[in-house]
Structures are given as structure tokens and as C-alpha cells.
Amino acid sequence: MALSACENMQMIRTATEYEAIYQQWRGQKIALVPTMGALHEGHASLIRKAREIGERVVVSIFVNPLQFGPQEDLSRYPRPLELDLALCASLGVDAVFHPTVEAMYPESMENLTRVVPPASLTDKLCGAYRPGHFTGVATVVLKLFNLIRPQVAFFGEKDAQQLAVIRKMVGDLQLPVKIVGCPIVRDADGLALSSRNAYLKSDAEKQAALLLNKILRCIVEEARQSAQPIDAQKALPQIAQAEIRAFQEALALPEDSALFRLQYLEAVDAETFEPAQVLQPGVKLLIAAYVGDVRLIDNVNLD
Ligand code: AMP
């Protein structure tokens, strides 16, 4: 990375290093964008928003082992640090906080105090398939808030359940930080940008990845066009199956093909995340699927 591109941006690895900068910044509004790196336009949109609102912008890059399950992709998660730093510098970030796992968790992770979000928020959707995931997320985010001490922090709607968990934690623990949710950034075909999209290798996998958003858009369209209220429990599996079958037929794949495997497709109240019976405004549709061995998520709101 050309040093000149990053001349004004500080790269910080420890809480002590941050403390020195924080003392210089006292009285200024600090905006934090927590990430796991492998930055793309979705992250960039959060950083731009942070740049608008904050006087100082900190991006954290930390692949948090606490939020990965034993069978998940922690070791292969992409870590293109030089590219990430160059992007941050080009967006006018003041500091990148990139701690080691040892700096974040100096003692064994088994002995760590954790933030456990309520089961009412985490026993469904991603939480049902990733036990402990949101505890790992809430714990690291609280730790980042305590270390960086931002007045405002930015999270993507792409991880809608995560955003709900963070908002709940901030409210319940009365944390002095404002949470700003940012819209999902997609590619021209509708695919929600994700660091995990880098795992999609073949054309067929890329086509399969588009199905997540296609299924959601189909449901939105049905809900829009129907004169009657649509029963979510009935309609969602039917529409998903029809779309998956059409995709398989187009690629001459068998019905038991593992190229696209739906994990969940659910309709919930966008505020409470309680299951929604009927497709109507205020409902959020969320989907998770495996494309080969890559797990992807997406969501849309009905309006
Ligand atoms: P991650 O690096 O995947 O942990 O994501 C860091 C932040 O970026 C989270 O708040 C995500 O919700 C957000 N984010 C990731 N992808 C997108 C996207 N396509 N659009 C908007 N925000 C995103």
C-alpha cells in the first residue's frame, strides 16, 4: 500500500495506542464503523455516512473468533488488510483499529464475561442456526464501544438481526452511543454485497446466490399485487420452492442439488422480530441459504 495514501490515517493495534489518540480528540464526535474487514461498497457506505456525521471516524477491523461456531469459516475468512487500509484512507478515515485476538481476549475465551442478548431475539433466524453467535457479536461490540468510546456507531441493515440485537443491548444497558442503521448495498443484479461473496467461484454459484434476493422480490411482488391479505406461513415456502425449482430446471440440476439449499425464509415484524402471520407493511422478510458451502443472508421490508 502506498504510504502517501494513508498519511493522515492512523493504524492502531492496542487500547494503549488508541488512548493517546483519544486524548487528542477529546470533545470531538467520534463515529465508529465495526467490521470484520474484506471491505466492499457496503462497508464503504457505512464509512461515508460516518464521515458525514462524525468529526472523527474509526473503522475497526477484527475477525471476532467469539462469533464463529466450531464448524464455521473463521480460518478461511478473507483478510486483505492492505486493500482495506487503502479503502479506508481513500474515504478519509481517521483511524483503523485492528487489534490481534490476544489484544482483545488476553485471557482464555472460556473464562470471558459475555453479553447474552435475550433468547426472544436470538432463538430464531440466524440465531437458531448459529448458537452463541449473537452473544459473540454483542460481547465484541460492547468491548469496542468501551475501547473506542464513540458517540455514534454504524451498522448495516444487511445483518438485520444483528442490528436488532445491538439496538436492544444499547437500550437495555443504557449505553451512551447512538446506533445508525444503513440500507443494504447490492450489486447490479440485486445480490447483497458481502465479504463472503468472494467465496463464490463458479458461474453457477453466482447465479444461485442471486436466488436469495429473487425469492424475496417475488414475495414482495405477490404481496403488492394481491387484493387479499396473504398468509405468510403458506405463501413463503410455496414461492421459494417454485423459484428454486425454476432455477434448477434452467441449469438442468436435479431436485436434490446442493448448489442452493434454503436454510430459512421467514416473515417477522420489522420492529419486534415476532413472527408475522400476514404479509403487510411493517413486515420484514429474511432469508438464509447455502450456496455450495457458502452461507449467505438477505432481507427486505414490505412497505
Ligand atoms: P462485517 O464486516 O460483515 O461484519 O460487516 C460490518 C458491517 O457492515 C455490518 O454492520 C454489516 O451489516 C455491514 N454490511 C455488510 N454488508 C453490507 C451491505 N451489503 N450493505 C450495507 N451494510 C453492509
Side-chain angles (χ1 to χ4, degrees):
M1 176 194 40
L3 214 66
S4 58
C6 302
E7 202 152 78
N8 299 319
M9 189 177 82
Q10 316 235 24
M11 154 84 152
I12 302 153
R13 308 236 45 191
T14 64
T16 316
E17 281 171 32
Y18 181 71
E19 197 55 41
I21 295 176
Y22 180 75
Q23 291 308 328
Q24 292 167 17
W25 289 354
R26 264 194 186 280
Q28 298 186 53
K29 185 171 188 177
I30 300 173
L32 172 66
V33 182
T35 81
M36 297 204 300
L39 304 180
H40 48 67
E41 265 305 305
H43 298 109
S45 72
L46 271 57
I47 297 171
R48 285 193 194 100
K49 193 92 196 143
R51 192 63 283 172
E52 267 171 38
I53 293 176
E55 286 164 282
R56 297 292 178 179
V57 175
V58 179
V59 173
S60 63
I61 297 180
F62 181 60
V63 183
N64 174 34
L66 213 57
Q67 70 190 67
F68 284 77
Q71 309 301 326
E72 294 183 355
D73 57 344
L74 174 62
S75 60
R76 75 160 174 162
Y77 199 83
R79 291 166 169 87
L81 184 62
E82 297 288 290
L83 288 174
D84 288 352
L85 293 178
L87 179 68
C88 288
S90 75
L91 293 170
V93 169
D94 293 286
V96 169
F97 181 56
H98 177 50
T100 59
V101 172
E102 294 70 34
M104 286 297 273
Y105 305 121
E107 290 174 35
S108 84
M109 284 194 268
E110 285 72 53
N111 273 332
L112 194 69
T113 301
R114 293 165 199 240
V115 180
V116 183
S120 58
L121 260 184
T122 60
D123 63 0
K124 56 181 69 123
L125 304 165
C126 290
Y129 295 92
R130 305 186 71 187
H133 170 68
F134 288 115
T135 292
V137 168
T139 303
V140 80
V141 169
L142 179 60
K143 219 171 143 95
L144 288 168
F145 286 173
N146 285 335
L147 285 163
I148 307 296
R149 284 156 282 172
Q151 279 82 7
V152 54
F154 297 78
F155 293 85
E157 287 279 357
K158 153 101 183 340
D159 299 274
Q161 195 175 11
Q162 166 175 288
L163 179 55
V165 162
I166 302 296
R167 286 194 196 283
K168 179 83 172 124
M169 173 180 78
V170 166
D172 288 352
L173 302 183
Q174 294 176 286
L175 303 178
V177 53
K178 180 176 176 225
I179 302 301
V180 178
C182 302
I184 302 177
V185 177
R186 304 177 179 282
D187 75 6
D189 296 320
L191 176 65
L193 299 189
S194 161
S195 306
R196 290 188 168 97
N197 292 350
Y199 299 143
L200 302 171
K201 293 294 175 230
S202 66
D203 253 10
E205 282 182 343
K206 284 176 195 158
Q207 291 303 314
L210 296 180
L211 256 186
L212 280 92
N213 188 242
K214 193 148 182 263
I215 290 169
L216 295 179
R217 278 188 284 130
C218 259
I219 299 166
V220 170
E221 215 31 59
E222 291 257 339
R224 219 173 255 156
Q225 285 179 6
S226 170
Q228 309 294 326
I230 298 184
D231 179 336
Q233 307 310 319
K234 272 199 204 142
L236 267 50
Q238 279 172 7
I239 295 171
Q241 278 321 312
E243 285 301 313
I244 294 168
R245 197 61 210 123
F247 167 76
Q248 290 171 334
E249 279 167 8
L251 269 74
L253 295 167
E255 264 185 64
D256 60 356
S257 161
L259 184 57
F260 182 94
R261 284 172 295 137
L262 186 64
Q263 189 174 59
Y264 67 71
L265 172 61
E266 288 182 38
V268 301
D269 181 290
E271 295 297 318
T272 63
F273 274 64
E274 287 305 318
Q277 304 310 323
V278 174
L279 298 182
Q280 60 190 5
V283 165
K284 188 182 266 299
L285 304 169
L286 302 104
I287 190 169
Y290 275 96
V291 172
D293 62 352
V294 184
R295 186 176 178 279
L296 299 176
I297 58 173
D298 198 355
N299 70 82
V300 293
N301 287 332
L302 293 178
D303 49 25

